Amino acid sequence: MRFFSDNAARVSPQVLAALIEADQVDTAYDGDRWSARLDEAFSDLFGTPVDALWVTTGTAANCLALAALCPPFGGVLCHEEAHVETDEGGAPEFYTHGAKLMTIPGDGAKITPDALRARLGGIRNDVHQVQPRALTITNATEYGRVYDPDEVAALGSLCREHGLRFHVDGARFANAVATLGCHPGDLTWRAGVDALSFGFVKNGGMMAEALIFFDESLAADTLRRRKRAGHLLSKGRYLAAQLLAILEGDLWLDNARAANAAAAIIAMAAGARCLHPVEANEIFLSVTAEEAASLRAQGFDFYDWGTGAARFVTSWHHDAQDVQPLADAIAAL
Amino acid sequence: MRFFSDNAARVSPQVLAALIEADQVDTAYDGDRWSARLDEAFSDLFGTPVDALWVTTGTAANCLALAALCPPFGGVLCHEEAHVETDEGGAPEFYTHGAKLMTIPGDGAKITPDALRARLGGIRNDVHQVQPRALTITNATEYGRVYDPDEVAALGSLCREHGLRFHVDGARFANAVATLGCHPGDLTWRAGVDALSFGFVKNGGMMAEALIFFDESLAADTLRRRKRAGHLLSKGRYLAAQLLAILEGDLWLDNARAANAAAAIIAMAAGARCLHPVEANEIFLSVTAEEAASLRAQGFDFYDWGTGAARFVTSWHHDAQDVQPLADAIAAL
Amino acid sequence: MRFFSDNAARVSPQVLAALIEADQVDTAYDGDRWSARLDEAFSDLFGTPVDALWVTTGTAANCLALAALCPPFGGVLCHEEAHVETDEGGAPEFYTHGAKLMTIPGDGAKITPDALRARLGGIRNDVHQVQPRALTITNATEYGRVYDPDEVAALGSLCREHGLRFHVDGARFANAVATLGCHPGDLTWRAGVDALSFGFVKNGGMMAEALIFFDESLAADTLRRRKRAGHLLSKGRYLAAQLLAILEGDLWLDNARAANAAAAIIAMAAGARCLHPVEANEIFLSVTAEEAASLRAQGFDFYDWGTGAARFVTSWHHDAQDVQPLADAIAAL
Amino acid sequence: MRFFSDNAARVSPQVLAALIEADQVDTAYDGDRWSARLDEAFSDLFGTPVDALWVTTGTAANCLALAALCPPFGGVLCHEEAHVETDEGGAPEFYTHGAKLMTIPGDGAKITPDALRARLGGIRNDVHQVQPRALTITNATEYGRVYDPDEVAALGSLCREHGLRFHVDGARFANAVATLGCHPGDLTWRAGVDALSFGFVKNGGMMAEALIFFDESLAADTLRRRKRAGHLLSKGRYLAAQLLAILEGDLWLDNARAANAAAAIIAMAAGARCLHPVEANEIFLSVTAEEAASLRAQGFDFYDWGTGAARFVTSWHHDAQDVQPLADAIAAL
């Protein structure tokens, strides 16, 4: 009955099994057979050659990507409520050596082409103002909204036009793909995306995330940056094995679908209380303090979201039976 | 028959069990019961109040410590063959924002008080020269030598005298303690050490290391630096549980003793071939290219160490039976 | 008839004389008699012991101050139109190693205590959000407004309450003091200010600015940071002599008063066109594109300020006769 | 009778005249006619198109160049007694965001191709070791030696072979050219040099140095880095005018020749006391403490250089008459 965050959920059984399998050999760093298969496995998934690196956190994936895409003296355009702006403790600035996050407003933590154009239009092209070099969006967003392939492509097109590199924070990329039913390539390289943080931890993984470079020329330096950031684990095989286990048989999609379906049940019950369309596995509801207290008294855990609102997040292991009590309780408020 | 490195070995069974135990709950970041016990568990071990943080690599532990001990414009004194200088891909410079590693020579990768004094004596105290602010030593060293408590204390005393903070890279700290038979406090806080990177990965762990602050005032900012470096795992409980599993019942000492004992068997067989006294679990031997080839033909894997030398490292799971064939083969060269 | 910026004006004759005087000796770095007098000269001016360092730009002064007041993982609160945020090319992020500028809105580029409180109230105190460590205000502001001593003190008091250090960007500090007629200490240390960038270049200097530390404990490390940033000139005497020449006989106040008086003449003529109260030497006017073109056709140079507005800045060497033609032309629009 | 350093000498009269000339206009940053002429003036001098930027210190010139040539995770090869390694307070690490200086030994602070090859040969090409990306040499060196065009070209050729960019710290470049009598292009772009810090301050300037990019693609980003480092002076015309005044009529060569000639007189008198061949304007002599004291008692000022040695530096304004007393005194020791 805990709906704090998918980032805390226990792991898929296949992940535990993969760790035990990876324990049979003794290879160091990324010299193991699982790590060696990552490029191919993700290239197959995306339908284009990619370079895939394991890291242990989404923050590291995001920030290694941004460091590859933006020089220290450049700027990274992002939503004003993007995770990189609000919840990564200054990690983007650390990894990029002080690049400036340049924020853009928008409903549901989504950036529209118009909003991007307006932001770009307000920047003088001189040495006194930081010049943007990259755009990062989150898909699904921090408010559980998704960008569809056309929306991503429209932003990608603007990026090309303005000389910006393009990154997607896909902490919940699987949830977006599951919702949209599209090919993962449609949300990424076919839409002009250079790099993707492909989240696994929120989707059944233990501590392995994938950083995907569609522009493969960026990978070599990033291998050095990963080491330099202390993220080259000596027993990296335990990370690679997690990723492969979740890719195997499209477990990543099954997990995301399960979380999304659970969220949909809650959203249906919540109706007009929903502050944002529920398009992935996060539900933001309008609830009074008394209503929140009532839900907690019934054993449901979740975060308050400012005043008069609450966030519920479903996870890969939630099924209809798990969330029905919450849905009922919300409906009964 | 692989003696490449202890950093690649499989993990202690207790570690796998701990992961499964940690999988029963869903708590985020370091809000779990295992993480909450770390300060107390390590305080008990060291016999003094400490702050203990989990991280996933020794590089991260070392560099977070150095960032806490040295400002960006300062210098970190270290051995010229220290891991931070030669094998961390510039991570110390990344984490410290460009502090300068100031190297010191010495046999067996050990720094003597005289060598430290000589290095300090060569630095002009003006703004043109970087001023050292910290000393870091590795114990056991990169050549498998150990500093005993008196040696550490002599360096600690010099640090106090010269206003230097003192860090120990203890990637193989357990091996040093096992060899010396001393209390872990004797090699650290009682000798003036401010921070210790306490290695678990080379000693049966999967991807959890402990960063120990004897000067607890340094911990709060380091929690922020850890997040900023992308090292705050959302499912941190799987790291904390590893550390506790290895502390439990002194498994860390048992593991280290096993590795040391295995090394001793090889060292005995190698006799005068040993390039350094074997005081932990690393053996550096003088072998010709032909001899190395012969050993490899017999199925033994290891690293060449420059020309005419080879490095063998034993691990926690090696027993006498495992290493006897190698010992015999070396004796027969 | 150029009103682009006081930062381009020619220098006071006393500055040229000082350079010639400084040319008589050959001393390196800050080992000259002018540099040696700075601490005392500024301590006398402020009525409290201070440390004073010369640098060549306001950007360097601001950023060295911020680096002294805020750690890399901290945040610096500033107005959203502050020079450090909009016009320093990412220098604050460079000098602070990636500290985050956290912006606050407000009329006339002024920060009110309420606005500061509101911003602080929106920051969660956890490791995921960057925590502010310092506040910087600009006095006179980027829109030519001034903070009076009570306003500065109110912010200073909030800083103390919230553990924030307090910096003033005084690129036009002299203009603020001239307007307010107060003691320079009233706008700084008596109001809780830790460090001041005291501008000389916009007030008759050539390339010398003063960085003043009221908290003298911050100076020693800043001397190292100045060197590290390549700002320790080997012939620093030519900078120190400039500063002393402008301090001498209160030339700094005379210069600022002249600029302010010239601005007042223009403001009087502009009347309701003034977009902000003219409290220093900058005038922002509402003018149509046609009106701006007309003024330019009459030989007046100035910057457009977005659409429908223009900025005029007066300088130390402007007298009534210099600006009357512009005042007349504006009145005649 | 002061022979401490050429970096402290008074300035050429033409420099003062240039400042007065530059005082006649009011243009900001590098929007003046002097700054606009720099590219052409230096292109003419070098016989190839270059980009030329003014900065105020050699440290800034060196470090902006290194930041352009080496990524944060790379290494910069330099002599172990290079100014960037020993006397810039960590500025290279600051500007490059932590690139590692990788030192090379050699007589007279010169790097030989063999020494460079040996250093390169000792670096493993993996992510654990920092990979060198650039070489920097000082010409004339910190010991007053010069590299001739063939020597520079041999290093340049090695750089090409190993994918290294090539920088020359030319704090005393004029002295080297004056000694060799070669074309300045022979010591730079024709020999494979990408960027040059061309010193003016030690050669009659006040606080203006030139950063020359032979690879013009590096200039645009460096303009941003210069601003970001606080080195874009608002009254930059006073710097540009200095540079042009010293270029005018080959004053830079006249000044350097005068300093070199003065040094030659002292060297002749010193004979076998010279610790290094005197090839520019620095003389390093073997003198006992008593001899040094005797010279000082006679009114000569200079630096001790470790034990039993002293450094004397001549400047642009020294003529035979100025240095003869010192020459005589040394001869009489």
Side-chain angles (χ1 to χ4, degrees), chain A residues 2 7-11 23 26 29 57 87 89-91 94-95 201 205 207 227-231 233-235 237, chain B residues 2 7-11 23 26 29 57 87 89-91 95 201 205 207 227-231 233-235 237-238:
Chain A
R2 290 163 67 89
N7 80 359
R10 56 192 171 78
V11 306
D23 196 45
D26 66 334
Y29 303 110
T57 63
D87 283 282
F94 180 50
Y95 274 79
V201 172
M207 75 288 272
K227 169 69 190 186
R228 196 176 188 233
H231 279 284
L233 272 62
S234 58
K235 301 184 182 176
R237 63 188 186 269
Chain B
R2 292 164 66 89
N7 80 358
R10 58 192 168 79
V11 307
D23 196 45
D26 66 334
Y29 303 110
T57 63
D87 283 282
Y95 276 79
V201 172
M207 74 288 272
K227 168 70 189 185
R228 195 174 189 236
H231 279 284
L233 273 63
S234 58
K235 302 184 182 175
R237 63 189 185 269
Y238 296 97

Side-chain angles (χ1 to χ4, degrees), chain D residues 8 33 42-43 46 48 66-67 75 96 104-105 126 144-145 159 212 226 235 237 256 260 265 303-304 320 322 331:
Chain D
R33 64 173 185 264
F42 282 98
S43 295
F46 283 100
T48 192
L66 296 181
T96 61
I104 300 174
D126 60 30
R145 303 290 310 276
C159 285
I212 310 295
R226 180 177 66 174
K235 302 184 182 176
R237 63 188 187 271
N260 287 1
I265 292 171
Y303 281 114
D304 291 325
D322 289 327

Side-chain angles (χ1 to χ4, degrees), chain A residues 44-253:
Chain A
D44 285 349
L45 183 69
F46 284 99
T48 192
V50 305
D51 277 58
L53 286 72
W54 43 252
V55 290
T56 56
T57 63
T59 296
N62 285 340
C63 296
L64 286 169
L66 296 182
L69 299 177
C70 182
F73 49 84
V76 176
L77 294 153
C78 66
H79 193 277
E80 63 189 12
E81 300 190 72
H83 199 260
V84 289
E85 167 68 10
T86 64
D87 283 282
E88 293 189 349
E93 291 85 352
F94 180 50
Y95 274 79
T96 62
H97 303 289
K100 196 171 186 70
L101 297 193
M102 309 176 86
T103 60
I104 299 174
D107 285 345
K110 286 182 70 172
I111 296 173
T112 64
D114 281 351
L116 176 56
R117 257 186 230 104
R119 186 67 168 90
L120 289 168
I123 300 164
R124 296 193 320 268
N125 183 8
D126 61 28
V127 298
H128 305 283
Q129 295 213 321
V130 173
Q131 302 298 306
R133 297 291 185 103
L135 169 70
T136 180
I137 64 170
T138 310
N139 198 11
T141 76
E142 288 76 6
Y143 284 112
R145 302 291 310 278
V146 301
Y147 291 86
D148 68 28
D150 288 346
E151 290 173 313
V152 180
L155 293 172
S157 173
L158 269 175
C159 285
R160 289 293 169 277
E161 189 182 318
H162 290 272
L164 303 170
R165 308 304 300 261
F166 193 5
H167 168 253
V168 173
D169 174 354
R172 295 185 181 96
F173 182 73
N175 302 87
V177 174
T179 292
L180 294 162
C182 64
H183 187 278
D186 295 340
L187 287 176
T188 53
W189 65 277
R190 287 184 194 131
V193 171
D194 296 301
L196 168 71
S197 304
F198 192 160
F200 282 73
V201 172
K202 288 184 167 73
N203 196 30
M206 189 181 281
M207 75 288 272
E209 305 278 76
L211 171 53
I212 310 295
F213 283 112
F214 302 101
D215 177 347
E216 294 184 270
S217 72
L218 301 168
D221 282 355
T222 302
L223 291 172
R224 297 195 175 282
R225 290 186 196 269
R226 180 176 66 176
K227 169 69 190 186
R228 196 176 188 233
H231 279 284
L232 179 63
L233 272 62
S234 58
K235 301 184 182 176
R237 63 188 186 269
Y238 296 98
L239 299 188
Q242 290 181 49
L243 298 181
L244 293 174
I246 296 179
L247 286 185
E248 180 77 19
D250 282 342
L251 177 60
W252 66 285
L253 265 180

Side-chain angles (χ1 to χ4, degrees), chain C residues 2 11 26 57 95 205 229-230 235, chain D residues 2 9 26 57 95 205 229-230 235:
Chain C
R2 291 164 65 89
V11 307
D26 68 332
T57 62
Y95 275 79
K235 301 183 183 178
Chain D
R2 290 163 68 88
D26 66 333
T57 62
Y95 275 78
K235 302 184 182 176

Side-chain angles (χ1 to χ4, degrees), chain B:
Chain B
M1 309 228 278
R2 292 164 66 89
F3 297 91
F4 281 120
S5 182
D6 42 2
N7 80 358
R10 58 192 168 79
V11 307
S12 286
Q14 294 91 329
V15 165
L16 287 172
L19 294 179
I20 289 164
E21 184 196 342
D23 196 45
Q24 307 312 309
V25 301
D26 66 334
T27 50
Y29 303 110
D30 51 5
D32 58 276
R33 65 173 183 264
W34 297 272
S35 297
R37 278 171 46 203
L38 290 183
D39 286 356
E40 189 184 343
F42 282 98
S43 295
D44 286 349
L45 183 69
F46 283 100
T48 192
V50 305
D51 276 57
L53 286 72
W54 42 252
V55 289
T56 57
T57 63
T59 296
N62 285 340
C63 296
L64 285 170
L66 296 182
L69 299 178
C70 182
F73 49 85
V76 175
L77 294 153
C78 65
H79 194 276
E80 64 189 10
E81 299 190 74
H83 199 259
V84 288
E85 167 68 9
T86 65
D87 283 282
E88 294 189 349
E93 291 85 353
F94 180 50
Y95 276 79
T96 61
H97 303 289
K100 198 171 186 69
L101 297 193
M102 310 176 86
T103 59
I104 300 174
D107 285 346
K110 287 182 71 172
I111 296 173
T112 64
D114 281 351
L116 175 56
R117 255 185 231 106
R119 186 67 168 90
L120 290 169
I123 300 164
R124 296 193 320 267
N125 184 9
D126 61 30
V127 298
H128 305 282
Q129 296 213 321
V130 173
Q131 302 299 306
R133 295 291 186 102
L135 169 70
T136 179
I137 63 170
T138 310
N139 197 14
T141 78
E142 288 76 7
Y143 284 113
R145 303 290 310 278
V146 301
Y147 292 87
D148 69 28
D150 288 345
E151 291 172 312
V152 181
L155 293 172
S157 172
L158 268 175
C159 285
R160 290 291 169 278
E161 189 182 320
H162 290 273
L164 302 170
R165 307 304 298 260
F166 192 7
H167 168 252
V168 173
D169 175 354
R172 296 185 181 95
F173 182 73
N175 302 89
V177 174
T179 294
L180 294 163
C182 63
H183 189 277
D186 295 340
L187 287 176
T188 53
W189 64 276
R190 285 184 196 131
V193 172
D194 296 301
L196 167 72
S197 303
F198 190 161
F200 281 72
V201 172
K202 289 185 167 73
N203 196 30
M206 190 182 280
M207 74 288 272
E209 305 277 77
L211 170 54
I212 310 294
F213 284 112
F214 302 102
D215 177 347
E216 294 185 271
S217 71
L218 301 169
D221 282 355
T222 302
L223 291 173
R224 298 196 174 281
R225 291 186 195 270
R226 180 176 66 174
K227 168 70 189 185
R228 195 174 189 236
H231 279 284
L232 179 63
L233 273 63
S234 58
K235 302 184 182 175
R237 63 189 185 269
Y238 296 97
L239 299 188
Q242 290 181 49
L243 298 181
L244 293 174
I246 296 179
L247 285 184
E248 180 76 21
D250 282 342
L251 177 60
W252 66 284
L253 265 180
D254 291 343
N255 278 356
R257 283 177 187 134
N260 287 1
I265 291 171
I266 299 168
M268 180 78 68
R273 285 180 182 274
C274 290
L275 295 166
H276 299 281
V278 175
E279 299 173 346
N281 65 324
E282 295 187 291
I283 308 108
F284 293 81
L285 299 185
S286 167
V287 289
T288 64
E290 293 69 30
E291 291 169 335
S294 160
L295 290 173
R296 288 196 173 101
Q298 297 172 63
F300 302 106
D301 287 331
F302 51 88
Y303 281 116
D304 290 325
W305 213 255
T307 305
R311 187 188 79 164
F312 302 79
V313 187
T314 54
S315 296
W316 67 272
H317 59 80
H318 283 135
D319 60 18
Q321 201 168 323
D322 290 325
V323 298
Q324 198 59 54
L326 174 61
D328 293 345
I330 290 169
L333 283 178

